[in-house]
Amino acid sequence: TSQGGSILVYEYTNGALVQKGSTIDGNNGTNHLFGARGMVLNGDGTVVAGNSEGGYVKVFKYVEDSTNDWVQMGSDLTSNDSTLLSINVASRPISLDDSGTVFAVASTGDDTTGTDNGKVEVYKFTGDVDTGSWNQLGSTIYGVQRSGSTYEGATLKLSADGTILATGSWYYNSSYGYIRVFKYIEAAGDWCQMGADIQHDAAENFARGFDMSSDGKTLAVGIANSDKGQVRNDEGGTEIFKYINGQWVSVDYIASTY
């Protein structure tokens, strides 16, 4: 392919890294860069998802049969507009649940609620690996109009069971940053926000990176330019939040020691 991009998966076996299955190639197309900007494995490493600047997402499952190889789950998921995985933001966020049957993907440059406010969509796979399909789970989560562009989903993470989604952006309000957390309510068939937005009080690149516990109730949030530890300017640190009595509460801060 002409810069279509590829993904290779390796497994640690008998003291060495060995490629697992064949190389997974992106679609033929100039500068598609499949997997270069966003790629993720599920909990046991048997499902891999990658996205592309060509505007599509592919998901593959490792099937242990006579071929022992990667098989695509459903068709490519493609955008119906030009904003999927927008080049306005350096990251191309994507997240998988542990089973590899639910994934979230951001369109950071979507303009539905304002210029580059972004959106996040979650999809669920139903059926078997050969004949199943991806269908959107709940409504699209749009970035809220705030001061300047939001770039919703510049960072995102699903819980282990795929029912809790954390989405945010360090770009918001000149790098103040924020995170919103949603839970999928089966009875309503939609996403409901858990607590209020988690917002920072200074322009310190809050939520430039974050992770979430498997149950979706604890967040570790990176603050790239935090001075809270008072060691030096822009030392950086990590703030820990827990979901307690319907609200996100800061419970700890870990300052950089570098």
Side-chain angles (χ1 to χ4, degrees):
T1 60
S2 177
Q3 296 185 3
S6 302
I7 294 175
L8 289 79
V9 181
Y10 288 83
E11 186 172 38
Y12 188 69
T13 304
N14 298 324
L17 285 171
V18 179
Q19 185 173 345
K20 187 171 184 173
S22 303
T23 299
I24 302 169
D25 290 323
N27 298 340
N28 187 29
T30 302
N31 296 325
H32 276 193
L33 302 177
F34 174 63
R37 300 292 190 176
M39 176 185 61
V40 65
L41 285 165
N42 74 324
D44 65 3
T46 60
V47 177
V48 61
N51 55 28
S52 162
E53 289 186 0
Y56 62 85
V57 176
K58 287 175 175 286
V59 186
F60 291 82
K61 182 176 180 62
Y62 187 77
V63 178
E64 294 183 343
D65 56 15
S66 58
T67 59
N68 286 333
D69 212 349
W70 298 98
V71 177
Q72 186 167 356
M73 298 171 62
S75 304
D76 294 3
L77 181 70
T78 58
S79 176
N80 60 4
D81 56 44
S82 62
T83 66
L84 181 67
L85 313 176
S86 166
I87 61 173
N88 291 340
V89 179
S91 61
R92 304 291 183 269
I94 188 169
S95 182
L96 274 174
D97 75 336
D98 267 10
S99 70
T101 59
V102 178
F103 79 81
V105 62
S107 305
T108 53
D110 181 77
D111 297 332
T112 300
T113 60
T115 303
D116 291 335
N117 276 349
K119 67 181 180 182
V120 175
E121 294 174 341
V122 182
Y123 292 84
K124 184 173 184 177
F125 188 78
T126 54
D128 60 45
V129 66
D130 294 312
T131 62
S133 61
W134 293 100
N135 297 287
Q136 188 170 348
L137 188 66
S139 302
T140 300
I141 298 170
Y142 291 100
V144 178
Q145 181 62 53
R146 305 171 190 257
S147 175
S149 300
T150 302
Y151 299 107
E152 185 70 54
T155 45
L156 57 80
K157 179 72 175 180
L158 282 168
S159 62
D161 64 2
T163 63
I164 296 178
L165 168 72
T167 171
S169 174
W170 67 92
Y171 290 91
Y172 160 64
N173 194 18
S174 301
S175 300
Y176 272 65
Y178 77 98
I179 295 173
R180 295 190 292 166
V181 185
F182 297 84
K183 182 175 178 61
Y184 183 74
I185 306 300
E186 189 74 35
D190 213 347
W191 297 94
C192 179
Q193 187 166 352
M194 296 170 58
D197 296 4
I198 306 171
Q199 298 190 41
H200 198 48
D201 57 2
E204 296 177 335
N205 283 302
F206 178 81
R208 192 174 182 95
F210 67 78
D211 205 354
M212 182 166 58
S213 61
S214 59
D215 66 357
K217 301 295 181 64
T218 304
L219 289 168
V221 184
I223 312 172
N225 301 106
S226 173
D227 296 331
K228 190 173 181 178
Q230 299 181 345
V231 176
R232 68 185 187 286
N233 290 335
D234 295 335
E235 69 195 12
T238 301
E239 192 162 5
I240 311 298
F241 295 85
K242 283 187 173 291
Y243 190 65
I244 301 172
N245 297 326
Q247 295 296 327
W248 290 99
V249 179
S250 177
V251 297
D252 200 0
Y253 177 83
I254 305 167
S256 170
T257 56
Y258 174 74

